[in-house]
Amino acid sequence: MKQKLKKVLLTKEVRAAIFLSFIAIFLFGSIIVLDRIYDREVIVIPDDDTDDEDVVVIPEEKLKLPFKVNGKIETYFFEENDPLDKRKKSIINTKGVLIPSQGVDYSYNNQKFDVIAAFSGQVIDVKTDDDFGYIVKIQGENDLVARYSSLSEVSVKKGDEVKQGDVIGKAGESKAKPKLNNHLHLELLKGGKHINPTKYLNKNIKEIGWSSRQSITLCLFLLLLDGVGTGT
Protein backbone atom coordinates (compact mmCIF):
# COMPACT_ATOMS: atom_id res chain seq x y z
CA MET A 1 0.00 0.00 0.00
CA LYS A 2 2.85 2.39 0.93
CA GLN A 3 4.64 1.63 -2.32
CA LYS A 4 1.52 2.44 -4.34
CA LEU A 5 1.06 5.66 -2.40
CA LYS A 6 4.68 6.67 -3.11
CA LYS A 7 4.16 5.98 -6.80
CA VAL A 8 1.03 8.16 -6.82
CA LEU A 9 2.83 11.01 -5.02
CA LEU A 10 5.79 10.73 -7.36
CA THR A 11 3.50 10.87 -10.33
CA LYS A 12 1.86 14.06 -9.02
CA GLU A 13 5.22 15.66 -8.40
CA VAL A 14 6.43 14.77 -11.88
CA ARG A 15 3.25 16.11 -13.41
CA ALA A 16 3.55 19.36 -11.45
CA ALA A 17 7.18 19.74 -12.52
CA ILE A 18 6.30 19.13 -16.17
CA PHE A 19 3.40 21.58 -15.93
CA LEU A 20 5.61 24.28 -14.40
CA SER A 21 8.28 23.71 -17.02
CA PHE A 22 5.80 24.29 -19.84
CA ILE A 23 4.42 27.40 -18.14
CA ALA A 24 7.94 28.78 -17.59
CA ILE A 25 8.86 28.20 -21.24
CA PHE A 26 5.65 29.88 -22.38
CA LEU A 27 5.94 32.91 -20.10
CA PHE A 28 9.60 33.65 -20.64
CA GLY A 29 9.23 32.88 -24.33
CA SER A 30 6.51 35.51 -24.45
CA ILE A 31 8.95 38.03 -22.93
CA ILE A 32 11.38 37.45 -25.79
CA VAL A 33 8.60 37.75 -28.38
CA LEU A 34 7.25 40.94 -26.81
CA ASP A 35 10.72 42.44 -26.61
CA ARG A 36 11.29 41.78 -30.29
CA ILE A 37 7.93 43.32 -31.15
CA TYR A 38 8.45 46.41 -28.99
CA ASP A 39 12.04 46.91 -30.12
CA ARG A 40 11.08 47.12 -33.78
CA GLU A 41 10.53 50.41 -35.50
CA VAL A 42 6.92 51.60 -35.57
CA ILE A 43 5.58 51.64 -39.10
CA VAL A 44 2.40 53.55 -39.98
CA ILE A 45 0.53 51.38 -42.53
CA PRO A 46 -1.24 53.51 -45.16
CA ASP A 47 -4.79 53.00 -46.41
CA ASP A 48 -5.46 51.54 -49.84
CA ASP A 49 -5.78 55.02 -51.28
CA THR A 50 -2.43 56.15 -49.84
CA ASP A 51 0.73 56.12 -51.93
CA ASP A 52 3.70 54.09 -50.75
CA GLU A 53 5.63 57.34 -50.40
CA ASP A 54 3.40 58.31 -47.45
CA VAL A 55 4.57 55.40 -45.28
CA VAL A 56 6.17 56.83 -42.14
CA VAL A 57 8.85 54.96 -40.21
CA ILE A 58 9.33 56.14 -36.63
CA PRO A 59 12.53 54.85 -34.99
CA GLU A 60 12.54 53.87 -31.34
CA GLU A 61 14.02 56.53 -29.07
CA LYS A 62 17.50 55.95 -27.67
CA LEU A 63 19.26 57.62 -24.76
CA LYS A 64 21.36 60.58 -25.93
CA LEU A 65 23.85 62.97 -24.37
CA PRO A 66 22.12 66.01 -22.81
CA PHE A 67 24.09 68.57 -24.85
CA LYS A 68 25.31 69.22 -28.39
CA VAL A 69 28.71 70.67 -27.57
CA ASN A 70 31.91 68.64 -27.34
CA GLY A 71 31.68 68.20 -23.59
CA LYS A 72 33.97 66.09 -21.45
CA ILE A 73 33.42 64.04 -18.31
CA GLU A 74 34.75 65.59 -15.10
CA THR A 75 33.25 63.11 -12.65
CA TYR A 76 32.25 59.53 -13.45
CA PHE A 77 29.47 57.38 -12.03
CA PHE A 78 31.02 55.22 -9.31
CA GLU A 79 31.47 51.57 -10.33
CA GLU A 80 33.30 49.20 -7.99
CA ASN A 81 34.85 47.27 -10.88
CA ASP A 82 36.26 50.31 -12.68
CA PRO A 83 40.05 50.88 -12.82
CA LEU A 84 41.53 52.77 -9.88
CA ASP A 85 42.21 55.97 -11.82
CA LYS A 86 38.58 56.11 -12.96
CA ARG A 87 37.27 55.37 -9.47
CA LYS A 88 39.33 58.29 -8.15
CA LYS A 89 37.35 60.52 -10.51
CA SER A 90 34.05 59.09 -9.27
CA ILE A 91 34.41 60.19 -5.64
CA ILE A 92 32.83 63.50 -4.61
CA ASN A 93 34.07 65.69 -1.79
CA THR A 94 30.93 67.33 -0.43
CA LYS A 95 31.68 69.67 2.46
CA GLY A 96 34.58 67.49 3.55
CA VAL A 97 32.66 64.23 3.18
CA LEU A 98 33.76 61.74 0.50
CA ILE A 99 30.87 59.97 -1.21
CA PRO A 100 30.60 57.85 -4.39
CA SER A 101 29.16 59.72 -7.36
CA GLN A 102 25.66 58.67 -8.38
CA GLY A 103 25.80 60.65 -11.58
CA VAL A 104 28.10 62.14 -14.20
CA ASP A 105 29.50 65.68 -14.40
CA TYR A 106 30.08 67.23 -17.84
CA SER A 107 31.90 70.45 -18.69
CA TYR A 108 32.77 72.40 -21.83
CA ASN A 109 35.81 74.73 -21.72
CA ASN A 110 34.45 76.30 -18.52
CA GLN A 111 31.58 77.76 -20.55
CA LYS A 112 27.86 77.68 -19.96
CA PHE A 113 26.12 75.50 -22.54
CA ASP A 114 22.58 74.50 -23.46
CA VAL A 115 21.33 71.42 -21.65
CA ILE A 116 18.89 69.35 -23.69
CA ALA A 117 16.56 66.48 -22.81
CA ALA A 118 18.32 63.13 -23.09
CA PHE A 119 14.95 61.52 -23.83
CA SER A 120 11.33 62.57 -24.23
CA GLY A 121 9.05 62.77 -21.22
CA GLN A 122 7.28 64.97 -18.71
CA VAL A 123 8.89 67.49 -16.37
CA ILE A 124 7.95 66.21 -12.90
CA ASP A 125 9.94 68.69 -10.81
CA VAL A 126 11.73 72.03 -11.12
CA LYS A 127 13.38 73.56 -8.07
CA THR A 128 16.38 75.52 -6.81
CA ASP A 129 18.92 74.27 -4.32
CA ASP A 130 21.53 76.26 -2.40
CA ASP A 131 24.24 73.71 -3.18
CA PHE A 132 23.22 72.36 -6.60
CA GLY A 133 21.57 75.32 -8.34
CA TYR A 134 18.51 74.73 -10.49
CA ILE A 135 17.34 71.11 -10.69
CA VAL A 136 15.06 69.63 -13.34
CA LYS A 137 13.61 66.10 -13.24
CA ILE A 138 12.09 64.51 -16.33
CA GLN A 139 10.26 61.19 -16.37
CA GLY A 140 10.14 59.18 -19.57
CA GLU A 141 8.79 55.78 -20.53
CA ASN A 142 9.93 52.52 -18.95
CA ASP A 143 10.01 54.11 -15.46
CA LEU A 144 13.10 56.15 -16.39
CA VAL A 145 13.91 59.48 -14.72
CA ALA A 146 16.69 61.96 -15.56
CA ARG A 147 17.81 64.51 -12.98
CA TYR A 148 19.66 67.55 -14.36
CA SER A 149 21.34 69.80 -11.78
CA SER A 150 23.93 72.58 -11.47
CA LEU A 151 21.84 74.60 -13.92
CA SER A 152 22.22 78.38 -14.04
CA GLU A 153 18.79 78.82 -15.63
CA VAL A 154 15.84 76.70 -16.75
CA SER A 155 13.57 76.83 -19.79
CA VAL A 156 10.81 74.47 -18.59
CA LYS A 157 8.29 74.21 -15.78
CA LYS A 158 6.66 71.34 -13.94
CA GLY A 159 4.08 69.54 -16.08
CA ASP A 160 5.68 70.42 -19.42
CA GLU A 161 5.99 67.70 -22.04
CA VAL A 162 9.42 67.74 -23.68
CA LYS A 163 10.84 65.99 -26.69
CA GLN A 164 14.31 64.55 -26.90
CA GLY A 165 16.69 67.36 -27.81
CA ASP A 166 14.56 70.21 -26.41
CA VAL A 167 16.52 72.81 -24.46
CA ILE A 168 15.65 72.61 -20.76
CA GLY A 169 18.25 75.02 -19.34
CA LYS A 170 21.89 76.06 -19.18
CA ALA A 171 24.81 74.52 -17.33
CA GLY A 172 26.24 76.59 -14.50
CA GLU A 173 28.20 76.57 -11.27
CA SER A 174 27.30 74.97 -7.96
CA LYS A 175 28.44 75.44 -4.38
CA ALA A 176 28.63 71.66 -4.01
CA LYS A 177 31.36 71.42 -6.68
CA PRO A 178 32.99 74.86 -7.01
CA LYS A 179 36.20 73.50 -8.57
CA LEU A 180 34.27 72.28 -11.63
CA ASN A 181 33.10 75.83 -12.44
CA ASN A 182 30.42 75.65 -15.18
CA HIS A 183 29.17 72.09 -15.56
CA LEU A 184 26.14 69.82 -15.75
CA HIS A 185 25.43 67.07 -13.26
CA LEU A 186 23.30 64.29 -14.73
CA GLU A 187 21.69 61.46 -12.79
CA LEU A 188 19.71 58.60 -14.33
CA LEU A 189 17.26 56.55 -12.28
CA LYS A 190 15.44 53.37 -13.20
CA GLY A 191 12.64 52.40 -10.84
CA GLY A 192 14.02 54.86 -8.29
CA LYS A 193 17.52 53.35 -8.39
CA HIS A 194 20.54 55.21 -9.74
CA ILE A 195 22.14 53.68 -12.82
CA ASN A 196 25.18 54.69 -14.87
CA PRO A 197 24.12 57.10 -17.67
CA THR A 198 27.22 56.41 -19.79
CA LYS A 199 26.49 52.68 -19.72
CA TYR A 200 23.20 53.15 -21.56
CA LEU A 201 24.08 55.84 -24.10
CA ASN A 202 22.55 55.07 -27.51
CA LYS A 203 20.56 52.21 -25.99
CA ASN A 204 16.88 51.84 -26.75
CA ILE A 205 14.90 53.37 -23.89
CA LYS A 206 12.85 50.17 -23.65
CA GLU A 207 16.03 48.14 -23.20
CA ILE A 208 17.22 50.00 -20.12
CA GLY A 209 16.63 47.62 -17.21
CA TRP A 210 13.54 45.50 -16.81
CA SER A 211 10.49 46.86 -18.57
CA SER A 212 7.06 46.82 -16.96
CA ARG A 213 5.79 44.03 -19.23
CA GLN A 214 8.68 41.81 -18.22
CA SER A 215 8.07 42.52 -14.54
CA ILE A 216 4.36 41.69 -14.88
CA THR A 217 5.13 38.44 -16.66
CA LEU A 218 7.65 37.46 -14.00
CA CYS A 219 5.18 38.29 -11.22
CA LEU A 220 2.52 36.13 -12.86
CA PHE A 221 4.97 33.28 -13.09
CA LEU A 222 5.98 33.61 -9.42
CA LEU A 223 2.33 33.74 -8.34
CA LEU A 224 1.59 30.63 -10.37
CA LEU A 225 4.60 28.88 -8.89
CA ASP A 226 3.48 29.82 -5.37
CA GLY A 227 -0.04 28.59 -6.09
CA VAL A 228 1.15 25.22 -7.30
CA GLY A 229 3.56 24.90 -4.40
CA THR A 230 0.80 25.49 -1.84
CA GLY A 231 -1.59 23.22 -3.64
CA THR A 232 -4.07 25.95 -4.63
Side-chain angles (χ1 to χ4, degrees), residues 206-218:
K206 294 188 175 73
E207 294 177 355
I208 299 178
W210 275 67
S211 64
S212 57
R213 62 183 182 276
Q214 290 174 321
S215 300
I216 292 172
T217 307
L218 179 60

Side-chain angles (χ1 to χ4, degrees), residues 77 79 102 142-146 187-197 199-200 208-209:
F77 182 94
E79 297 273 14
Q102 293 185 311
N142 200 20
D143 202 17
L144 201 64
V145 173
E187 296 176 29
L188 191 64
L189 297 93
K190 165 67 177 177
K193 180 181 178 181
H194 284 87
I195 57 177
N196 191 344
K199 184 178 179 180
Y200 296 100
I208 299 178

Side-chain angles (χ1 to χ4, degrees), residues 46-183:
D47 297 330
D48 294 337
D49 297 333
T50 306
D51 296 333
D52 292 340
E53 296 179 356
D54 295 329
V55 176
V56 179
V57 179
I58 306 174
E60 293 286 354
E61 192 168 275
K62 297 180 180 180
L63 183 68
K64 298 296 183 182
L65 285 170
F67 47 80
K68 294 183 179 180
V69 297
N70 187 23
K72 69 173 184 176
I73 296 178
E74 297 287 351
T75 307
Y76 291 92
F77 182 94
F78 182 81
E79 297 273 14
E80 291 183 359
N81 298 323
D82 278 344
L84 181 60
D85 59 339
K86 192 172 182 179
R87 275 182 288 155
K88 287 181 178 179
K89 295 190 67 175
S90 62
I91 300 294
I92 304 171
N93 188 339
T94 303
K95 296 180 179 179
V97 179
L98 298 178
I99 58 174
S101 174
Q102 293 185 311
V104 180
D105 292 313
Y106 297 96
S107 69
Y108 174 63
N109 298 331
N110 193 26
Q111 297 180 29
K112 294 182 179 181
F113 55 89
D114 286 340
V115 176
I116 60 178
F119 53 79
S120 302
Q122 183 181 50
V123 179
I124 59 175
D125 193 22
V126 177
K127 63 181 181 181
T128 57
D129 184 271
D130 290 338
D131 293 323
F132 295 96
Y134 284 103
I135 300 173
V136 175
K137 290 176 69 175
I138 297 177
Q139 177 154 17
E141 61 180 338
N142 200 20
D143 202 17
L144 201 64
V145 173
R147 185 175 184 267
Y148 309 83
S149 61
S150 189
L151 303 177
S152 59
E153 58 183 82
V154 295
S155 309
V156 294
K157 62 183 184 299
K158 185 177 180 179
D160 284 351
E161 295 287 341
V162 297
K163 296 294 184 183
Q164 185 178 58
D166 286 352
V167 176
I168 62 174
K170 277 188 177 295
E173 299 181 358
S174 70
K175 292 180 181 179
K177 302 174 183 177
K179 292 183 179 180
L180 294 183
N181 296 313
N182 290 307
H183 69 283

